[in-house]
Amino acid sequence: MSNKLQEEIKKRKTFAIISHPDAGKTTLTEKLLLFGGAIQVAGAVKSNKIKKTTVSDFMEIEKQRGISVATSVMAFEYDGLKINILDTPGHKDFAEDTYRTLTAVDSVIVVIDVAKGVEEQTEKLVSVCRMRNTPIIVFINKLDREGKDGFDLLDEIEAKLGLHVMPLSWPIGMGQTFQGVYNLFEKKLMLFKPHGKQDDEVIEFNDLSNPELEKHIGNRAAATLREESEILHEVYPDFNKQDYLDGKISPVFFGSAVNNFGVKELLDCFIQIAPNPLPRTTEERVVNPTEDKFAGFVFKIHANIDPRHRDRIAFMRICSGTFERNTNYLHVRQGKQMRFSNPTSFMAAKKEIVDEAFPGDVVGLYDSGNFKIGDSITEGESLHFKGIPAFSPEIFRFVENKEPMKYKQFQKGLEQLMDEGVAQLFLREFDGRRIIGVVGNLQFDVIKYRLEGEYGAKVEYEPANFHKACWVTCEDKNAFQEFKERRRRDLATDKDGNLVFLAESSWMLKMTQENHPKVQFHFTSEF
Ligand code: G4P
């Protein structure tokens, strides 16, 4: 491995911020970008204004709906490091997009609203991270408002998210009486100035028994802080970085993103403890970032921001080696060589062409329809990255083309949207009907809107009452044949020609499984 590659890997940290909508993910992202100088906005941010310049809102449809449909990438430099933030859509109907993005990061920050505590979407996303032992830092936001008691929140996080928490900062009051936090990690008192800019007061404070404490925060708050810090000391062991890296404990910070309070502490701790680019598993072997040969995978495909151009951007995470512009690489699934003349990196609002990129980086590849989610690109080796599954959908509709003259556009549009992972398309064998399966209802609107806007095709939906679609395989040829004959009317194929069973109810699924014990039913596409 070259020294340069090693240096570049050490500089990189790639992560995502996840939260339930409205907890403050966008605000926190903006503040982090401000620290990195990637965007420049003076003073406290009024989100509406800055939201327009935030890269995460670049699709027309999300402007309309006010939700972040697209997952975008923002990079910034801080303290000599290159930090890549992969933004994730907060809306639950786009959860699959988020799951896939989580395959491309090495750690996450979870934002929790101090008043609302752990919400539904947070639970789902954290459970996906836990499956992969992704290191997690928790940021409890909106301390300038009345919220739940700190200890209660930590208990709630442990109970609902299954995380072992480790507070590294501790709030002094909250809402009207919020005075700041004590940074247990760096032993500093940080005093909150409402509507604060970056000049909140930070005081080195090694010993909380020092009577100076009263001068800063008053008698009552000082007594409470001393008492609570003693409890913290008893309940929580000392912070161990390796436990965090192994996904065993999650450091917790308190702050207020909109007031830019506690954000710098979070960032300073993050750069010290968060992992550099980690190895990735493929079907063939483990790929280490330090390998000289380049390998990467596509985790997201985005329709072009400019609807006049049909091409798309495939987001590729670099897993090993150095990726270079204008170099021949192998598109493993298609078995063909490709070279990229305009690979793009994202520095907040700016896009620029990159000559080279390193493990942990995400580059955008202009694509005219060659890529699907999960595709691998390598220097020649046949590698298939794991952990980028499609989930079996649970909401279905039949889809019909409304304008016979536009059949081609309809077909092409559908095909491309499916490659992007917007939804899954099944073809029912016995009557040739197309069925779209999604994880959230909003996807149907997105598909309809985009087929019209980008492909000029009009579609009509009809209700399809299926409970689940699952992939089926069977080693016993005769048993499989019998199954196929008996369940002919319930079978369809997915885009890649894999056989799918469409169950009308959970009862029917259960019965079918019992009647055909040799057939295996799979609930994610990775089997
Ligand atoms: P999201 O991306 O997780 O969905 O949340 P976002 O950052 O958009 O924040 C949701 C709302 O919470 C915004 O208010 C934002 O200003 C507010 N917010 C974020 N951090 C804090 C904080 O520390 N304290 C308080 N009090 N509020 C915070 P909004 O009214 O929905 O939008 P806006 O009009 O302020 O932009």
Side-chain angles (χ1 to χ4, degrees):
M1 166 193 30
S2 73
N3 278 346
K4 180 170 182 204
L5 178 59
Q6 202 162 11
E7 286 304 308
E8 295 292 344
I9 292 170
K10 270 198 220 151
K11 272 168 68 174
R12 278 165 174 74
K13 309 236 174 197
T14 300
F15 78 108
I17 304 180
I18 54 178
S19 73
H20 193 86
D22 267 354
K25 179 167 63 71
T26 312
T27 314
L28 181 64
T29 307
E30 288 164 3
K31 300 297 173 182
L32 293 173
L33 293 176
L34 276 168
F35 279 116
I39 53 170
Q40 267 112 30
V41 179
V45 177
K46 288 271 168 279
S47 332
N48 271 344
K49 205 168 170 198
I50 194 168
K51 264 182 189 159
K52 291 202 184 99
T53 64
T54 300
V55 203
S56 51
D57 294 316
F58 57 54
M59 254 172 68
E60 185 62 29
I61 191 156
E62 62 179 341
K63 273 188 230 147
Q64 284 194 348
R65 295 175 194 282
I67 48 164
S68 185
V69 173
T71 301
S72 54
V73 187
M74 288 158 279
F76 66 96
E77 282 177 14
Y78 183 74
D79 204 24
L81 297 176
K82 175 151 185 245
I83 299 171
N84 298 310
I85 308 185
L86 275 54
D87 190 21
T88 53
H91 197 285
K92 67 172 175 26
D93 286 7
F94 297 92
E96 257 200 280
D97 230 3
T98 302
Y99 299 154
R100 287 190 291 252
T101 297
L102 293 177
T103 64
V105 302
D106 300 298
S107 69
V108 300
I109 293 180
V110 180
V111 183
I112 290 173
D113 183 322
V114 69
K116 296 195 175 135
V118 175
E119 295 171 270
E120 188 196 341
Q121 201 54 20
T122 326
E123 275 185 60
K124 287 206 183 121
L125 295 172
V126 168
S127 71
V128 172
C129 295
R130 289 191 52 227
M131 273 163 21
R132 307 198 183 102
N133 295 326
T134 308
I136 298 173
I137 298 179
V138 178
F139 182 73
I140 297 180
N141 191 27
K142 308 197 184 180
L143 264 286
D144 58 320
R145 288 208 186 142
E146 290 304 326
K148 300 187 181 184
D149 167 75
F151 288 106
D152 290 348
L153 265 174
L154 295 184
D155 285 349
E156 188 178 330
I157 293 169
E158 296 226 359
K160 289 195 180 161
L161 300 181
L163 299 176
H164 292 291
V165 292
M166 169 70 61
L168 292 186
S169 79
W170 194 250
I172 305 166
M174 76 171 56
Q176 294 286 326
T177 63
F178 183 56
Q179 298 205 57
V181 295
Y182 182 62
N183 187 328
L184 302 150
F185 185 58
E186 293 183 338
K187 306 232 176 299
K188 282 178 185 162
L189 196 59
M190 303 178 39
L191 300 178
F192 174 62
K193 305 271 187 276
H195 317 294
K197 314 231 162 37
Q198 282 162 38
D199 48 5
D200 292 297
E201 207 174 333
V202 181
I203 304 160
E204 299 279 340
F205 217 93
N206 276 316
D207 179 9
L208 284 181
S209 64
N210 186 334
E212 285 285 304
L213 187 61
E214 272 78 357
K215 283 193 196 150
H216 294 297
I217 60 175
N219 293 352
R220 253 178 90 179
T224 310
L225 179 61
R226 286 194 187 108
E227 201 180 299
E228 293 183 338
S229 89
E230 242 169 64
I231 301 175
L232 291 171
H233 216 76
E234 277 166 26
V235 178
Y236 301 102
D238 284 341
F239 173 65
N240 177 323
K241 182 173 156 183
Q242 194 56 46
D243 285 346
Y244 154 73
L245 291 173
D246 294 340
K248 289 185 190 147
I249 60 149
S250 299
V252 179
F253 286 86
F254 292 81
S256 168
V258 81
N259 290 295
N260 206 2
F261 186 81
V263 178
K264 187 167 181 299
E265 291 59 47
L266 174 73
L267 180 58
D268 285 339
C269 176
F270 171 85
I271 61 167
Q272 278 188 51
I273 67 170
N276 295 119
L278 296 169
R280 288 286 184 284
T281 341
T282 68
E283 279 170 25
E284 292 78 9
R285 63 185 183 83
V286 171
V287 172
N288 278 301
T290 49
E291 292 174 22
D292 283 324
K293 290 205 166 148
F294 153 75
F297 67 89
V298 172
F299 65 92
K300 177 174 177 62
I301 295 173
H302 200 301
N304 203 317
I305 306 142
D306 180 351
R308 282 168 303 174
H309 299 279
R310 190 59 66 76
D311 57 353
R312 311 179 289 179
I313 298 177
F315 290 87
M316 175 180 67
R317 148 110 191 188
I318 293 165
C319 301
S320 68
T322 307
F323 169 83
E324 289 171 356
R325 184 160 101 104
N326 280 327
T327 304
N328 277 328
Y329 291 122
L330 175 68
H331 182 317
V332 174
R333 181 176 52 87
Q334 295 195 337
K336 71 175 185 193
Q337 295 285 318
M338 289 182 90
R339 58 160 67 202
F340 305 98
S341 50
N342 297 310
T344 306
S345 80
F346 303 82
M347 291 293 280
K350 285 202 306 271
K351 284 195 297 174
E352 51 189 44
I353 291 176
V354 283
D355 289 320
E356 50 183 19
F358 301 93
D361 284 343
V362 169
V363 293
L365 305 173
Y366 286 94
D367 171 38
S368 51
N370 280 309
F371 288 119
K372 281 208 282 198
I373 304 266
D375 276 345
S376 307
I377 301 140
T378 71
E379 266 192 61
E381 191 176 348
S382 176
L383 294 172
H384 297 84
F385 286 89
K386 280 175 51 169
I388 316 145
F391 294 86
S392 62
E394 294 185 0
I395 312 171
F396 302 88
R397 286 188 199 170
F398 290 109
V399 58
E400 303 288 349
N401 174 35
K402 254 168 85 175
E403 291 178 15
M405 297 293 286
K406 297 274 175 68
Y407 185 74
K408 261 194 168 159
Q409 287 90 327
F410 163 77
Q411 202 172 19
K412 175 149 194 213
L414 262 188
E415 200 174 298
Q416 296 211 338
L417 291 183
M418 299 309 131
D419 283 353
E420 285 177 31
V422 176
Q424 293 177 60
L425 183 68
F426 305 107
L427 185 66
R428 192 155 72 173
E429 301 220 305
F430 85 95
D431 61 0
R433 292 196 81 180
R434 287 188 181 78
I435 298 157
I436 290 183
V438 296
V439 274
N441 266 312
L442 202 47
Q443 306 283 19
F444 289 122
D445 296 352
V446 172
I447 293 167
K448 194 169 190 167
Y449 176 92
R450 287 192 50 193
L451 281 175
E452 264 191 63
E454 290 167 38
Y455 300 90
K458 281 209 163 71
V459 298
E460 204 167 55
Y461 294 123
E462 278 174 40
N465 289 325
F466 299 114
H467 159 73
K468 225 174 190 6
C470 40
W471 290 270
V472 280
T473 55
C474 183
E475 279 176 11
D476 184 326
K477 266 193 183 158
N478 292 337
F480 207 24
Q481 195 51 39
E482 191 204 329
F483 167 76
K484 285 191 212 167
E485 277 163 20
R486 281 182 54 188
R487 310 279 11 158
R488 197 174 72 89
R489 295 177 82 87
D490 308 312
L491 292 178
T493 45
D494 74 3
K495 235 187 124 271
D496 301 319
N498 297 312
L499 200 64
V500 171
F501 176 67
L502 296 164
E504 274 171 14
S505 63
S506 60
W507 179 82
M508 180 195 170
L509 178 60
K510 202 168 143 258
M511 287 303 293
T512 312
Q513 281 173 309
E514 278 172 20
N515 290 339
H516 301 274
K518 288 187 176 158
V519 176
Q520 285 180 300
F521 295 75
H522 310 274
F523 297 92
T524 78
S525 64
E526 259 182 11
F527 48 82

